[in-house]
């Protein structure tokens, strides 16, 4: 079994981006500028957005955090999105999800200019991804693709089972793994909460990508011997013994599943750090106007 070290791969990618930014500065070009919009004070979202902003600083990007109160109206948030679309100083931006329930998240996502949509959530960009055209690939799936590439894991002709059909992870992941490219060329089964006999499906997976958000749901008997297991889950469970008051748990029962795998990602330190590196990569693409 080989452990996939997402932290190390993410650091390597961020180092490459940092070098690129230093080159841009040397040539007196403007450096990429990412903005992040956060509505409300959800603890996990606050952490994620702060990590994204901190990562920008580390590679030399400019970053702007726009922290708005929970009670902001949909119209006010739409005005903020419009302002970011029109601001030539901002190359790309994200609106952190989930949004409060009184705001229609689809309406907000669809108002983001596709050219600045570094999350890759806008229908134009999802459509481009489905057609295999160059676009912003959502950060988590892009991070997973980069991990598979880094470890030179073979994908052609393999059976890939994705659990979860979210627009952020499962759906784009299934498109990427089935495309005619490397990584890709898999036969993909996209499973979800209504899938009958899920364990039967997961046991057929050469590559299993778990993105269902249920801590330690994937047990040893659900995994084929020699499978590659990618754990996207990152649930906070209360733990009084920790200074933070919580522990992070993946969707995979790591201790029992790991001995069966050829490769596995840990939580934390697997997919998580890669999502940040992927977002930086998309921001660089946005600044270079290559997508
Ligand atoms: N919430 C969880 N993951 C993401 C992400 O990748 N982008 C945004 N905007 N919100 C998220």
């Amino acid at each position: 079994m080989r452990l996939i070290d997402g932290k190390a791969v993410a650091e390597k990618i961020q180092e490459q981006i940092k070098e690129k930014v230093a080159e841009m500065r040397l040539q007196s070009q403007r450096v990429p500028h990412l903005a992040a919009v956060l509505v409300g004070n959800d603890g996990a979202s606050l952490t994620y957005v702060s990590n994204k902003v901190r990562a920008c600083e580390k590679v030399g990007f400019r970053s702007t955090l726009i922290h708005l109160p929970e009670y902001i109206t949909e119209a006010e948030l739409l005005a903020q999105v419009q302002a970011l679309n029109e601001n030539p100083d901002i190359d790309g931006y994200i609106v952190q999800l989930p949004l409060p329930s009184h705001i229609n998240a689809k309406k907000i996502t669809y108002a983001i200019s596709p050219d600045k949509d570094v999350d890759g959530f806008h229908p134009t960009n999802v459509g481009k991804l489905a057609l295999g055209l160059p676009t912003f690939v959502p950060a988590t799936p892009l991070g997973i693709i980069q991990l598979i590439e880094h470890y030179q894991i073979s994908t052609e002709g393999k059976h890939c089972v994705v659990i979860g059909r979210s627009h952020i992870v499962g759906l784009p992941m299934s498109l990427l793994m089935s495309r005619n490219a490397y990584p890709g060329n898999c036969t993909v089964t996209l499973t979800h909460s209504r899938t009958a006999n899920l364990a039967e499906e997961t046991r057929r997976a050469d590559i299993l990508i778990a993105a269902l958000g249920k801590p330690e749901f994937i047990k040893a008997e659900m995994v084929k011997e020699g499978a590659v297991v990618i754990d996207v889950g990152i649930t906070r469970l209360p733990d009084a013994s920790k200074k933070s008051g919580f522990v992070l748990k993946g969707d995979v029962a790591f201790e029992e599943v790991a001995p069966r795998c050829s490769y596995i990602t840990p939580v934390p330190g697997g997919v998580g750090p890669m999502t940040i590196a992927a977002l930086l990569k998309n921001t660089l693409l946005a600044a270079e106007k290559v997508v």
Side-chain angles (χ1 to χ4, degrees):
M1 182 277 292
R2 230 180 129 186
L3 197 64
I4 295 180
D5 188 345
K7 192 160 173 269
V9 181
E11 274 167 16
K12 194 171 157 223
I13 291 170
Q14 290 185 21
E15 205 46 53
Q16 288 164 355
I17 295 173
K18 191 173 169 180
E19 281 168 22
K20 174 87 191 159
V21 176
E23 215 173 275
M24 289 169 125
R25 271 192 206 282
L26 259 173
Q27 291 173 3
S28 304
Q29 291 171 20
R30 55 183 290 283
V31 299
H33 187 177
L34 174 78
V37 179
L38 174 65
V39 179
N41 291 306
D42 174 69
S45 290
L46 254 160
T47 306
Y48 296 149
V49 173
S50 313
N51 288 345
K52 289 171 185 178
V53 169
R54 200 154 350 110
C56 283
E57 283 155 18
K58 266 176 68 184
V59 297
F61 285 3
R62 289 170 64 208
S63 63
T64 299
L65 172 59
I66 301 167
H67 194 173
L68 303 167
E70 180 88 22
Y71 53 77
I72 191 171
T73 66
E74 189 177 280
E76 284 167 330
L77 186 55
L78 276 171
Q80 181 61 250
V81 163
Q82 206 48 48
L84 287 165
N85 286 344
E86 287 164 12
N87 184 347
D89 198 39
I90 302 287
D91 296 296
Y93 68 97
I94 62 158
V95 177
Q96 187 67 22
L97 302 173
L99 289 167
S101 55
H102 67 279
I103 294 175
N104 183 338
K106 270 191 191 159
K107 215 163 155 182
I108 302 299
T109 304
Y110 298 177
I112 296 173
S113 163
D115 298 336
K116 294 191 176 188
D117 170 38
V118 285
D119 260 330
F121 294 166
H122 189 279
T124 297
N125 291 327
V126 178
K128 284 182 174 177
L129 184 69
L131 293 172
L133 299 170
T135 187
F136 299 114
V137 177
T140 304
L142 178 56
I144 294 170
I145 288 293
Q146 287 170 329
L147 283 178
I148 292 173
E149 251 180 328
H150 181 87
Y151 284 88
Q152 297 176 6
I153 293 168
S154 94
T155 58
E156 187 170 316
K158 305 285 183 195
H159 188 185
C160 175
V161 175
V162 179
I163 313 178
R165 57 183 156 186
S166 77
H167 295 173
I168 297 180
V169 186
L171 179 73
M173 202 67 240
S174 68
L175 291 171
L176 289 163
M177 295 307 277
S178 59
R179 72 194 167 150
N180 186 3
Y182 175 77
N185 279 316
C186 286
T187 303
V188 175
T189 302
L190 179 56
T191 67
H192 45 76
S193 52
R194 309 291 170 90
T195 297
N197 299 323
L198 180 64
E200 227 169 78
E201 302 295 341
T202 60
R203 271 196 294 271
R204 277 202 283 268
D206 302 307
I207 301 171
L208 179 62
I209 302 178
L212 69 160
K214 288 192 179 167
E216 304 192 320
F217 179 87
I218 303 294
K219 309 286 190 217
E221 68 270 14
M222 298 171 77
V223 177
K224 178 156 104 178
E225 199 68 47
V228 175
V229 174
I230 308 287
D231 189 351
V232 185
I234 181 162
T235 305
R236 289 178 171 204
L237 290 183
D239 185 337
S241 72
K242 301 279 180 215
K243 211 169 83 187
S244 60
F246 63 84
V247 279
L248 293 177
K249 286 278 176 210
D251 288 346
V252 177
F254 185 89
E255 295 299 327
E256 60 177 270
V257 171
R260 285 188 166 238
C261 302
S262 54
Y263 291 89
I264 186 167
T265 61
V267 176
V271 173
M274 290 301 295
T275 64
I276 302 235
L279 177 66
L280 296 177
K281 185 106 193 190
N282 279 344
T283 306
L284 187 60
L285 293 178
E288 291 176 323
K289 305 267 184 283
V290 289
V291 166

